[in-house]
Amino acid sequence: MTTVSELPSPLTLLPRAQAGDEHAMNHLLTAITPYVTRICRSVTHDDGADATQEALLAIYRGLGSLREPAAFYGWVRSVTVREAVRTARRYGAESCCSEVEPQQETNPMDAVYVSDVLERLSRAHRQILTLRAYGLNEEEMAEVLALPVGTVRSRLFRARRRFQEAWQPSAA
């Protein structure tokens, strides 16, 4: 029996999966599922399982279009965020993007404060800040959200300002 820890790395499996090797594809999808799940959960909150399934399906279908293996994780992130936002819209998730998982080791209480402040922001502001936290630039966010870049820029500016205003009382 093979466990996830015994699997080859996703970048090793990638060429075989793209060539149609079903076992390599299954192992590749298994290996990236925790990463995809973490992103989906933070973007959709309650609909993370549905978003994860949609994202993995989109990755499966689109893997052949990936031309640069070194861009694999960036491509997976982009596909996953796009599918998570679509799922959130489809289910009308009011809690969309309400939780950002820390990307580096920090004081656990800071994560609690960040989540609390994000909960107090509007859905649109939580969404834009979460997408930025996952490393999307303004053009990528505009594409994912189907908004003009100018709208994304102004929303990001306002979201940051609202976050700072809401954070100040917590910092005292």
Side-chain angles (χ1 to χ4, degrees):
M1 182 165 99
T2 304
T3 63
V4 174
S5 62
E6 296 172 3
L7 295 176
S9 76
L11 295 179
T12 304
L13 293 166
L14 184 59
R16 293 182 12 223
Q18 285 182 309
D21 182 335
E22 290 181 30
H23 286 79
M25 178 65 81
N26 286 336
H27 292 314
L28 177 70
L29 293 174
T30 299
I32 65 169
T33 296
Y35 176 65
V36 170
T37 300
R38 188 172 62 251
I39 293 171
C40 288
R41 210 175 324 133
S42 67
V43 172
T44 63
H45 201 53
D46 293 332
D47 300 312
D50 291 336
T52 299
Q53 186 175 18
E54 293 295 328
L56 289 171
L57 185 58
I59 291 165
Y60 172 80
R61 289 180 177 156
L63 196 59
S65 68
L66 179 65
R67 298 287 174 237
E68 184 56 49
F72 177 68
Y73 281 102
W75 177 79
V76 166
R77 184 199 67 211
S78 179
V79 170
T80 301
V81 169
R82 184 182 64 237
E83 292 303 320
V85 170
R86 284 183 183 164
T87 300
R89 280 190 185 143
R90 185 171 48 246
Y91 290 113
E94 281 302 310
S95 61
C96 179
C97 303
S98 62
E99 185 178 319
V100 176
E101 301 209 6
Q103 295 198 3
Q104 54 188 325
E105 300 226 3
T106 59
N107 178 345
M109 288 309 293
D110 286 345
V112 171
Y113 294 139
V114 168
S115 292
D116 179 57
V117 171
L118 284 172
E119 285 294 327
R120 291 185 270 150
L121 297 179
S122 70
R123 176 180 170 260
H125 288 166
R126 284 191 309 265
Q127 191 175 49
I128 205 87
L129 289 174
T130 301
L131 294 177
R132 176 60 98 191
Y134 276 106
L136 273 68
N137 64 34
E138 293 162 353
E139 290 78 18
E140 291 169 326
M141 288 189 282
E143 182 181 331
V144 166
L145 298 171
L147 293 171
V149 174
T151 301
V152 168
R153 287 182 180 140
S154 66
R155 192 173 288 177
L156 184 59
F157 174 80
R158 287 188 190 106
R160 285 176 172 154
R161 189 172 57 201
R162 296 287 186 278
F163 185 91
Q164 287 174 339
E165 290 167 359
W167 182 265
Q168 293 307 319
S170 298

